[in-house]
Amino acid sequence: GGADAVMGPYGGFCFGFIAAAVFCGYISEKEGFHNPIPAMMVWFLGHALIILFGMIWIYRFDPLGWKEKLQAIIPGAVIKSVFGALFIQ
């Protein structure tokens, strides 16, 4: 736990979550993003940011295996994004 978890191979997802929270919070305050379709787009972009940060971080630890890890998380990420986007409205 602690610093080891944040600085370990999956710490990028923690930093991605922070970046996504800032981005989504900022965008959702803008006019027009309270409608369902733009809100869903922001949700998907936020999730993409989390995955992007996570994969860049994992690449530092495993330059040859990051693609397999990405392929393993994509189905769950898509399902989570779809359900999340449906429930935000």
Side-chain angles (χ1 to χ4, degrees):
D4 290 337
V6 174
M7 300 312 290
Y10 299 103
F13 292 102
C14 295
F15 294 112
F17 184 80
I18 294 168
V22 170
F23 170 78
C24 292
Y26 176 77
I27 294 296
S28 66
E29 293 293 321
K30 298 292 182 188
E31 195 66 36
F33 283 95
H34 300 285
N35 298 323
I37 300 300
M40 286 181 200
M41 289 177 11
V42 170
W43 180 278
F44 282 105
L45 287 172
H47 206 170
L49 267 175
I50 295 169
I51 292 171
L52 176 67
F53 273 67
M55 286 298 109
I56 289 171
W57 197 272
I58 285 176
Y59 181 79
R60 292 178 45 225
F61 289 91
D62 189 5
L64 301 177
W66 71 273
K67 290 179 186 176
E68 290 81 21
K69 289 175 177 66
L70 177 62
Q71 290 173 345
I73 67 169
I74 289 297
V78 169
I79 291 168
K80 187 168 76 170
S81 285
V82 168
F83 278 105
L86 291 173
F87 287 110
I88 61 173
Q89 292 300 318

